[in-house]
Amino acid sequence: MRGREETRAPARASAAAPPRDADVLVVGAGMAGLSLAVALAERGFGGRVLLVDAREDWDVDDRTWCSFAVGPHPFVGAVAHRWARVRVREGGRERLLDVGRTPYVHVPARDFYRAAFARLGSAKRFVVRGGVRVDGLVPEPGGVRAETSAGVLRARWAFDARPALPPPGGTPRLFQHFRGFFVRTEAPRFEPGVATLMDFDVDQGRGLRFRYVLPFAADRALVEDTYFTETTFPIGEALLEDLGAHVVEREEGGVIPMTVDRFPVRPGIRRIGLAGGVAKPSTGYAFEFAQRDAAQIADALVRGAPPPPFRRQAFLDEVFLGVLARDPAEAPALFYRLFDRNPPARLVRFLSERATPLDHLGVMASLPKRPFIAEALRRVHARAALFGLA
Ligand SMILES: Cc1cc2nc3c(=O)[nH]c(=O)nc-3n(C[C@H](O)[C@H](O)[C@H](O)COP(=O)(O)OP(=O)(O)OC[C@H]3O[C@@H](n4cnc5c(N)ncnc54)[C@H](O)[C@@H]3O)c2cc1C
């Protein structure tokens, strides 16, 4: 069952409560944790903020964060590459979209970490401790206790970015899993101005699959082999075969849950990042939504209010996810229609969850009626059953 979504404040501390190590404890100084800390610093949060992470090294390029540049956030200065056009391919056809007003942008992880640490370095009372593994978070009167490899830490609020999957809530669930190769080709193979978001003209034998290509130059790109499937499995190097002579300079990979399920809420503890459900269920994009979540949490804490739950425009996503899970063979054509039959600005607003009600109507009108209406009815029925109404 899905958890209640509001974050409750911990019970009041008694007079003899042990001292706190921080007002805000952030567990996991990765994308979401650092984004939250920076959002707090930007707003002049006056409390003590302690970030702990099992890792000790942030001088790494372990992620390629891309999103449409739909709004300001503290890491705009770390954008390393912009694409004014994006492409989708399916069944031998291709759709090119001009997204120049809200380009598709790339923030390399190393630059993101540097920007975050630079910002936090000048913020008073913000501390990052690497090499600290958190094994458990326990609500207690007046706050939260963290059991860590460096002993017990106490705080008023804990924000938990440790990777974890919410319990199944009876909704469709897929995993976006991928393996990406940073390649340099001998001959020019790429079109530097166009990011290929989804190229479905690849073997679909193991499940819904597409090629994602971020060209940095005519002979340099990130080529990613991506699956949306119910289970994960090893991904080989087959997609590199048609590149001709090339070298792989480095690799990245990951698994992103595509789900609308959430963890049950515990007093004083708020999940953030992928574990907090920020990844868009129908696409797996998370960076932009984590920035929005960080801003909303920071706004609340600065006001002295509890952190609000992460909210999203979820129903159409839940339906979309259900259709993808039920009929993956039809999914390439669905995505193609989505890109083909919506103006770029509406599509970007939809993918970035800035869609107006009119945009939603437009998106719905662009999709085939029968599978979506059937899935929407299923989802409504499932929700009614959840509340004992069906
Ligand atoms: C290779 C890759 C590329 C991606 N590209 C995109 C993209 O282009 N666009 C997009 O929107 N999303 C993308 N994502 C998805 C998502 O944005 C990232 O996964 C993002 O890093 C999620 O942020 P997070 O804070 O939840 O997790 P992380 O950034 O992974 O941070 C979690 C942190 O918790 C720490 N940690 C874990 N366990 C413990 C513990 N027990 N104690 C203490 N610390 C712990 C980890 O060391 C880590 O630093 C990508 C993901 C991957 C893996």
Side-chain angles (χ1 to χ4, degrees), residues 95 97-99 337-350 359 362-363 366:
R95 182 80 170 101
L97 271 77
D98 184 343
V99 292
R337 272 176 82 136
L338 185 67
F339 279 77
D340 189 42
R341 300 197 181 182
N342 288 288
R346 183 202 288 156
L347 181 79
V348 169
R349 285 196 296 273
F350 172 67
D359 288 333
V363 168
S366 73

Side-chain angles (χ1 to χ4, degrees), residues 22 176 213 319 327 365:
Q176 177 186 145
V213 183
V319 173
D327 199 355

